[in-house]
């Protein structure tokens, strides 16, 4: 060799067998990661022993003492010597048993592990015995012969000085105060699932228990006693099932929070085949539905119990059995997601339900879960609902043509509306048959077109991306994997609304305008705005004619518009209802005149399929999240609101930059009313983009191929590369 290494050649290190106690301690550290994992194992053992009452006492977050007492079947005297050895269990004898295992434990590792990282003392008595036995363990073996002692039915296991021999683990845990909170949380979860068992959890020596539940036949009662009435009264019962071996086989039952429930964090209590587990995919899928359907962007409370054939669940994938893997997980998640969605859509029902959900006082007989059955609505009634908060006030007499959406009406208005709403509902109900006989192949073809033109790469981006924020008035910044993209929210929302108009075809909920708006005047407004710059009145006659003809045309088409698109035009030619394309979203009412003009001018009324397509496109354009007509006050647009800086009509604002940039600000006074109106409009739009558009896009949008090339998506950076740049700096 030409180049002799200058350093002396190192011998490879020797491989040797680890001392068994070291191996065990390492393994134990995996099973018992923190005090709460020890509590979980002990409580599960108690449940496996058919206990009906389990109490937990904890000192110093579990580091000083964990004591779990139950009234289960106890442990035989003869088994005590091997109780805490590794791989000793009464629950499994051959590997195949795992396939149908019902007990929570099966590895025979938990107690053994505890003896390697703490001091374990067991007191137990079996049925028919006069006295019990007490014995302590260390490193898997008994420290002494079991001692006879007085005992009450069942088993008590005590762990002292957890992690006494793992200095680093103990130190990190000592600094965190939240282990007791975790233990309380764990017991709360067990308590609402195993409702035939009473649970309690307290700090050692404390008189008051932090979790206290008694056996009850009603799940809601259990939830009430553990999570409080504010949670229990806002729950909706939910069920789903499938029994098709080619897709999925499961049964799910549970409770989910309704729209009145408000929380910053999701609580998801999930049991699969009676095991407390986590399933991130399911949790995320449900959170997305809540974000897309409820206004407050509240995080949900979810209790779900899923039962699957035991052979469909692999329980042995996680050392603490926390995550399980399921056969057909994606199908199951999707099915549950859609059930949650349809339950939430009936938010009015959930409110009525709330009043009966939990008994008002103990004198009223407890409500059992059977009482809470939400009978499904008669089919079709959903489409006639006009939720009161969706009623929008319009004012067509406003000379500026600004038809503002008043999202919050006062109670008086609600009452006034009520009777007319009922009338509207019943009249629509009578007409339902017409819809059912319609031949809808053309709408199905349009939906198939959307599906076949879907770009799979973009679909992945929209369904998995994270919204970062608005980069300017039109582009939002998103992150997908390690890439950042700019996405045109106007194009995206326009397409989404178009697709929604097709998908909800003939099944829309309605936005009720509080003042019916005359078509003729709306069209006149739109026409005048079209040639605002000309400022001439000479062709007013012509405009009148166009308006008259278009209004006439739309009146002729009123029945079809109402039946299929929920666009309601009364016999006097007034527009009074519009469809809801996305829940929680009301379009910018300033754009109504333009929309009505577009219905007259741009819709193809000759051929069915083209007609539906152009109508859906007109709706898409109207409902798209365009920048508000008032300039954005946070930025250059602010100048527009200086007094004397703009004309009477705020729509001039779109061209205002031309006379803003002169820099001669004489007056510092702003048009405050207009300014705050603009601020509200922009803030509301941004809220809708984040909380309605993006969550709904994830669920519903099929991005067409054209979006890959027309500038709707622009990849701006790769985070990997950015990190590299930062590293060099
Ligand atoms: P596993 O639960 O996987 O079988 P463990 O180490 O947790 O393993 O427990 C070992 C055995 O000890 C169990 O199989 C059970 O027979 C017995 N055991 C543990 N805790 C209890 C209890 N609270 N009541 C009765 N038997 C228990
Ligand atoms: Mg166990």
């Amino acid at each position: 060799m030409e180049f002799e290494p200058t350093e002396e050649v190192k011998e490879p290190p020797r491989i040797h067998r680890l001392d068994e106690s070291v191996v065990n301690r390492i393994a134990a550290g995996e099973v018992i990661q923190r005090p709460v994992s020890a509590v979980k194992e002990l409580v599960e053992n108690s449940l496996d022993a058919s206990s009906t009452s389990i109490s937990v006492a904890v000192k110093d977050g579990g580091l000083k003492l964990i004591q779990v007492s139950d009234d289960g079947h106890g442990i035989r005297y003869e088994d005590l010597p091997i109780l805490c050895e590794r791989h000793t269990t009464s629950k499994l004898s051959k590997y195949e048993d795992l396939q149908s295992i019902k007990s929570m434990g099966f590895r025979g590792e938990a107690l053994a592990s505890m003896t390697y990282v703490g001091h374990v003392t067991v007191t137990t008595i079996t049925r028919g015995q006069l006295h019990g036995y007490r014995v302590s363990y260390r490193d898997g073996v008994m420290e002494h012969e079991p001692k006879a002692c007085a005992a009450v039915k069942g088993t008590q296991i005590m762990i002292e000085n957890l992690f006494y021999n793992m200095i680093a683990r103990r130190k990190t845990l000592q600094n965190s105060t939240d282990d007791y909170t975790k233990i309380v949380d764990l017991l709360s979860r067990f308590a609402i699932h195993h409702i035939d068992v009473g649970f309690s959890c307290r700090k050692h020596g404390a008189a008051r228990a932090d979790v206290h539940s008694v056996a009850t036949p009603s799940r809601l009662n259990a939830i009430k006693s553990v999570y409080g009435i504010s949670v229990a009264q806002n729950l909706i019962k939910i069920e789903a099932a499938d029994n098709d071996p080619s897709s999925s086989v499961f049964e799910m039952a549970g409770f989910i929070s309704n729209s009145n429930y408000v929380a910053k964090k999701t609580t998801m209590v999930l049991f699969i085949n009676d095991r407390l587990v986590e399933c991130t995919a399911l949790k995320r899928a449900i959170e997305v539905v809540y974000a897309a359907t409820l206004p407050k962007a509240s995080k949900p409370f979810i209790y779900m119990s899923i039962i699957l054939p035991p052979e469909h669940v692999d329980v042995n994938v996680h050392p603490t059995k926390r995550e399980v893997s399921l056969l057909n997980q994606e199908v199951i998640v999707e099915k549950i997601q859609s059930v949650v969605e349809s339950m939430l859509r009936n938010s009015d029902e959930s409110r009525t339900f709330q009043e009966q959900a939990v008994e008002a006082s103990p004198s009223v007989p407890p409500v059992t879960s059977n009482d809470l059955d939400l009978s499904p609505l008669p089919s079709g009634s959903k489409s006639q609902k006009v939720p009161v908060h969706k009623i929008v006030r319009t004012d067509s007499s406003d000379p500026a043509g600004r038809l503002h959406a008043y999202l919050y009406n006062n109670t008086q208005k609600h009452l006034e509306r009520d009777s007319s709403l009922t009338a509207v509902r019943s009249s629509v109900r009578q007409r339902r048959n017409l819809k059912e006989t319609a031949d809808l192949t053309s709408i199905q073809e349009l939906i198939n077109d959307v599906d076949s033109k879907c770009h799979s790469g973009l679909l992945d981006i929209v369904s998995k991306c994270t919204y970062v924020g608005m980069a300017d008035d039109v582009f939002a910044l998103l992150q997908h994997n390690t890439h950042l993209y700019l996405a045109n929210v106007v194009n995206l929302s326009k397409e989404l609304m178009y697709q929604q108009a097709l998908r909800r075809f003939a099944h829309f909920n309605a936005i009720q305008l509080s003042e019916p708006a005359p078509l003729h005047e709306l069209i006149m407004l739109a026409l005048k705005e079209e040639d605002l710059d000309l400022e001439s009145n000479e062709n007013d006659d012509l405009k009148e004619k166009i308006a008259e003809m278009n209004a006439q045309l739309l009146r002729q088409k009123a029945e079809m518009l109402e039946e299929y698109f929920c666009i309601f035009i009364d016999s006097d030619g007034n527009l009074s209802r519009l469809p809801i394309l996305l829940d929680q979203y009301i379009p910018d009412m300033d754009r109504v005149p333009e929309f009505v003009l577009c219905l007259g001018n741009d819709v193809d009324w000759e051929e069915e399929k083209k007609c539906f397509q152009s109508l859906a496109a007109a709706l898409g354009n109207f409902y798209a999240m365009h920048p508000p007509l008032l300039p954005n006050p946070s930025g250059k647009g602010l100048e527009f609101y200086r007094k004397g800086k703009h004309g009477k009509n705020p729509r001039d604002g779109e061209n205002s930059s031309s006379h803003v940039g002169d820099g001669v600000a004489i007056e510092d006074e702003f048009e405050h009313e207009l300014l705050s109106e603009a601020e509200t409009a922009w803030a509301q739009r941004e809220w809708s983009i984040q909380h309605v558009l993006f969550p709904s896009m994830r669920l519903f949008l099929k991005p067409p191929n054209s979006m890959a090339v027309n500038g709707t998506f622009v990849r701006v950076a790769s985070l990997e590369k950015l990190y590299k740049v930062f590293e060099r700096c």
Side-chain angles (χ1 to χ4, degrees), residues 41-42 44-45 48 91 104-111 321:
E41 292 291 343
L42 294 175
E44 286 183 344
N45 279 347
D48 283 345
K91 302 165 191 173
M104 277 170 257
F106 52 82
R107 291 194 194 129
E109 263 180 341
L111 284 182
K321 304 176 225 104

